Amino acid sequence: MTLTAPDLPSEALPRLESAATPLTFAAPAGVAPAVAAWVTELAELTRPDRVEWCDGSQAEFDRLTRRMVATGTIEPLASEHRHYSFLARSAPDDVARVESRTFICSEREEDAGPTNNWSEPGAMRETLAGLFAGSMRGRTMYVVPFSMGPVGGAMSRLGVQVTDSPYVVASMRVMTRMGSAALEALRPGTDWVRAAHTVGMPLVDDRGIRRADVPWPCNETKYISHFPETREIFSFGSAYGGNAILAKKAFALRIASVMARDEGWLAEHMLLVRVISPEGRRFHVAAAFPSACGKTNFAMLKPTLPGWRVETLGDDIVWLAPDPDGGLRAINPEAGLFGVAPGTGWATNPTAMETLWGNTIFTNVALRPDGDVWWEGMTDDAPERLLDWRGEDWTPASAEPAAHPNARFTVPLAQCPSVADDWDSPAGVHVDAIVFGGRRRTNVPLVTEARDWEHGVFLGATIASEQTAAAEGTVGELRRDPFAMLPFCGYNMADYFGHWLALGERLRGTGRMPRVFQVNWFRRDEDGSFLWPGFGENGRVLAWMLDRVAGRLPAVDTPLGLAPRLDDLPLDGLELQPGALERLFAVEPAAWRDELDDTEAFFARFGERMPPQLPRQLDRLRTRLGLD
Ligand code: GTP
Ligand code: SPV
Ligand code: MN
């Protein structure tokens, strides 16, 4: 039993449209009884007109897109520009993740920790029961079985999302292995995550009166609630991204991080790539950056440095587990890309641009008069005329951007030209290096290597980054975002740090440790310009890191960690501003004093629960910088 329906007055029950659409909750033959029972319970609570079990087929996807075109949720783009692609415009108040409405409802408040919103599970269930009651009246409830990771893979996990949003179903089909194969794998006794989602806008009111639908139904009231102990998710009121595509942040990070804690693995906000050196040596790199800080770009990196190649395995989420052969093994549990559109262009990320030739759902980008899409950063010059993300006329003289800053594209990973041949392999890859990064205009150098695992955990735990448009908040404001997991860790972050430290002990025992690095592509000059050109040039930094992993290069011990001898960075053919390289590595004690004070205050929030290793690392850093 998950939620119980409050007693509805009989006149509040949905009026069925016709005898042809009976309210039937019948599950397809062979469905695990627990799945069927849960779906029935939710249907009884939310009272949809129909329940549709999704098989993941192309025919089903076609049916969904036709339905959404009819309701104005999406519109087809001109096929000569984008094959079988669509534009969705969201409601203006439903454009990004809502962290203030995201809750971890663990039994005990201290298990959610000071960085999560906690709510007592019983009280939250009551609130949700009230909100979900009748919330799908007049709509179709879709049942979406899915697998994170290839169906049946050793590291893969199953889930079922019910939703009344066809946009979410279509997104789930791109982002996960969704449909019949996952449903068949959901055999009795198999664990699965329950994810219930409603846009919270019933089409039939309490008196049985039907109203017209709107293109992007949602509700002013929003709840993204997680019950970590019972592996359940309830999401109300939003249809946007991580709020609604529950396989992604809610399952594959928040719930999965709790499963990973309990079972000895990691669920991380990381990209995953294979990097091939000029000699043909293959390395695998997992890198954590906060939202809209360059994971997709790194995942599709086209190194300018001759001979180096990057193959894409994942761009947002990585599950890592101890490898039976020692060290860590990793899979990308997703099957699609939900990438930030603005800033993606032929000059910055040509691989993403090539990926977007078709089969793409664009959300909140601008529309060109010729039926193609546009966003800031796609081309140097904006088109003369556009419809902006709200559907209003736009010219380059307009004050607001044409695309919403958190406009996104949803596209199958398989379509990416740089995707690794074996991206779909359940075995995953052996990880050689872990990289942490953030968006920092000051302080953090271009690249540093951790001295050891514990120092690496300290680097991860002390990531701070300037806020982006990926969630509500003030863009540009510096905030602590440890491991790029601040909005995504499903339990007390101090315990999460402890879990990373303990895993290190276990990996050390296997004799194979991934090396840990910290990078910052975003350091700026006094005039505000970036000191480092970024994008394809980041391959030079990657080459240095992997030469370190290969044991080919010495490094300099600095207060912040191991740094490159500047001559070892492969910078041939790169024109940096005079002095830029030195500034990219400069350590300013006064600024670092503030940084350390801020870190100390942040660590203090965790009280007794903080593993002592991290404050100890902080003390050592103070001493090394001569600031104690
Ligand atoms: P989420 O999907 O929100 O988790 O984000 P992400 O980390 O995948 O972000 P993405 O790669 O889409 O990057 C978003 C923004 O970062 C874009 O505006 C890019 O132009 C910018 N960006 C990425 N790499 C670099 C870089 O090396 N230098 C600079 N200056 N900007 C970059
Ligand atoms: C992020 O915000 O980190 C994303 C986008 O990857 S969303 O799926 O909406 O969370
Ligand atoms: Mn992300």
Side-chain angles (χ1 to χ4, degrees):
M1 213 42 188
T2 48
L3 295 175
T4 35
D7 282 334
L8 293 171
S10 59
E11 66 274 9
L13 292 176
R15 300 256 170 88
L16 300 184
E17 282 301 272
S18 73
T21 57
L23 186 60
T24 167
F25 306 148
V31 167
V35 177
W38 177 72
V39 170
T40 301
E41 193 186 300
L42 275 164
E44 281 170 359
L45 176 65
T46 60
R47 310 304 297 172
D49 276 3
R50 282 171 296 277
V51 178
E52 267 188 41
W53 291 72
C54 297
D55 61 13
S57 64
Q58 186 62 45
E60 175 183 88
F61 189 78
D62 295 344
R63 208 158 54 233
L64 284 168
T65 54
R66 273 201 302 276
R67 234 174 252 170
M68 284 192 281
V69 170
T71 55
T73 302
I74 58 175
E75 64 179 275
L77 296 169
S79 55
E80 66 270 30
H81 298 300
R82 310 274 163 189
H83 169 81
Y84 197 37
S85 297
F86 301 91
L87 167 63
R89 292 194 190 98
S90 80
D93 59 350
D94 192 25
V95 293
R97 280 184 298 102
V98 283
E99 294 179 2
S100 61
R101 305 302 306 158
T102 301
F103 299 88
I104 302 296
C105 309
S106 46
E107 294 293 335
R108 295 184 309 177
E109 182 167 9
E110 61 266 32
D111 290 337
T115 57
N116 280 312
N117 301 313
W118 178 78
S119 179
E120 195 276 309
M124 180 60 83
R125 279 181 198 276
E126 212 166 293
T127 303
L128 291 167
L131 290 168
F132 271 69
S135 65
M136 295 191 189
R137 280 183 298 205
R139 295 193 184 277
T140 299
M141 173 197 269
Y142 300 93
V143 183
V144 183
F146 62 94
S147 176
M148 298 312 283
V151 178
M155 293 175 75
S156 302
R157 299 290 156 135
L158 296 163
V160 181
Q161 174 164 351
V162 299
T163 176
D164 53 4
S165 163
Y167 168 85
V168 168
V169 179
S171 303
M172 287 283 289
R173 182 170 184 268
V174 177
M175 298 306 297
T176 74
R177 282 85 170 175
M178 180 273 257
S180 305
L183 189 62
E184 273 160 40
L186 280 158
R187 292 193 195 92
T190 308
D191 285 337
W192 52 284
V193 170
R194 291 151 171 77
H197 170 249
T198 175
V199 295
M201 190 189 268
L203 291 175
V204 177
D205 71 13
D206 288 348
R207 287 161 301 148
I209 295 170
R210 184 171 284 268
R211 66 163 150 179
D213 205 354
V214 296
W216 187 276
C218 59
N219 194 308
E220 223 173 90
T221 301
K222 292 177 173 56
Y223 281 90
I224 326 294
S225 300
H226 307 70
F227 297 84
E229 284 94 357
T230 52
R231 321 292 201 225
E232 289 170 278
I233 304 155
F234 287 90
S235 167
F236 181 91
S238 167
Y240 205 91
N243 296 336
I245 305 167
L246 299 181
K248 201 170 171 53
K249 306 301 181 167
F251 176 173
L253 289 177
R254 298 194 191 98
I255 296 292
S257 64
V258 174
M259 295 167 140
R261 173 197 67 190
D262 296 348
E263 299 167 11
W265 50 283
L266 298 167
E268 299 298 327
H269 192 203
M270 290 177 169
L271 66 96
L272 185 63
V273 287
R274 170 176 300 138
V275 188
I276 303 162
S277 74
E279 310 82 67
R281 181 159 171 189
R282 289 149 50 109
F283 301 88
H284 294 101
V285 179
F289 295 76
S291 302
C293 289
K295 286 184 301 301
T296 304
N297 281 269
F298 194 143
M300 299 178 184
L301 191 86
K302 248 191 178 158
T304 50
L305 201 61
W308 289 84
R309 270 195 314 121
V310 171
E311 294 180 357
T312 311
L313 288 155
D315 84 321
D316 196 47
I317 297 176
V318 180
W319 287 355
L320 306 110
D323 188 332
D325 297 333
L328 278 178
R329 222 157 234 284
I331 63 161
N332 164 19
E334 301 192 282
L337 308 166
F338 182 61
V340 179
T344 306
W346 290 105
T348 55
N349 191 348
T351 308
M353 294 303 286
E354 283 174 39
T355 307
L356 302 176
W357 60 269
N359 308 315
T360 307
I361 303 168
F362 296 91
T363 306
N364 288 348
V365 301
L367 182 65
R368 295 163 48 119
D370 64 359
D372 197 2
V373 288
W374 190 85
W375 51 75
E376 280 69 20
M378 181 199 264
T379 53
D380 284 344
D381 297 316
E384 300 275 285
R385 269 191 53 228
L386 291 167
L387 288 185
D388 70 9
W389 66 276
R390 292 185 178 85
E392 282 160 21
D393 284 324
W394 187 94
T395 72
S398 300
E400 300 287 325
H404 186 278
N406 192 39
R408 299 250 170 186
F409 51 79
T410 310
V411 66
L413 175 59
Q415 213 168 285
C416 174
S418 62
V419 77
D421 285 347
D422 55 345
W423 74 270
D424 200 23
S425 158
V429 297
H430 181 88
V431 173
D432 301 290
I434 291 174
V435 179
F436 295 117
R439 190 182 277 272
R440 290 300 303 268
R441 51 178 67 235
T442 62
N443 289 19
V444 180
L446 180 64
V447 60
T448 345
E449 183 180 341
R451 289 192 186 80
D452 53 27
W453 184 264
E454 187 182 299
H455 184 228
V457 173
F458 177 76
L459 293 179
T462 53
I463 295 181
S465 193
E466 287 138 27
Q467 280 235 67
T468 66
E472 82 274 36
T474 312
V475 172
E477 205 165 82
L478 189 69
R479 74 162 178 181
R480 295 272 140 198
D481 191 351
F483 290 81
M485 283 287 280
L486 180 77
F488 308 122
C489 184
Y491 61 104
N492 190 313
M493 204 107 206
D495 297 353
Y496 168 91
F497 299 152
H499 182 57
W500 265 84
L501 291 165
L503 195 73
E505 291 306 316
R506 190 163 155 201
L507 298 180
R508 202 183 335 275
T510 72
R512 278 176 98 181
M513 299 288 283
R515 299 275 277 270
V516 182
F517 298 87
Q518 179 184 46
V519 300
N520 177 22
W521 316 140
F522 299 92
R523 200 156 176 178
R524 301 206 199 205
D525 217 338
E526 283 82 40
D527 68 2
S529 59
F530 288 110
L531 286 165
W532 178 251
F535 304 104
E537 305 296 1
N538 296 338
R540 299 173 187 272
V541 176
L542 192 53
W544 179 81
M545 292 191 277
L546 296 177
D547 280 341
R548 284 286 301 160
V549 171
R552 279 197 284 249
L553 286 175
V556 191
D557 199 356
T558 76
L560 300 181
L562 305 174
R565 299 182 305 190
L566 294 189
D567 287 347
D568 285 337
L569 278 175
L571 300 179
D572 281 0
L574 182 67
E575 301 245 336
L576 290 175
Q577 292 298 315
L581 192 58
E582 288 68 28
R583 284 206 294 288
L584 280 162
F585 287 95
V587 179
E588 287 144 29
W592 268 96
R593 187 186 294 280
D594 294 345
E595 178 99 25
L596 298 184
D597 290 348
D598 194 55
T599 306
E600 192 171 320
F602 179 65
F603 282 0
R605 290 178 63 194
F606 299 96
E608 292 296 296
R609 213 123 163 173
M610 191 68 175
Q613 292 94 322
L614 297 184
R616 213 156 55 213
Q617 285 281 342
L618 182 62
D619 287 344
R620 272 189 226 149
L621 178 54
R622 247 190 224 288
T623 307
R624 282 204 201 94
L625 286 166
L627 292 171
D628 47 0

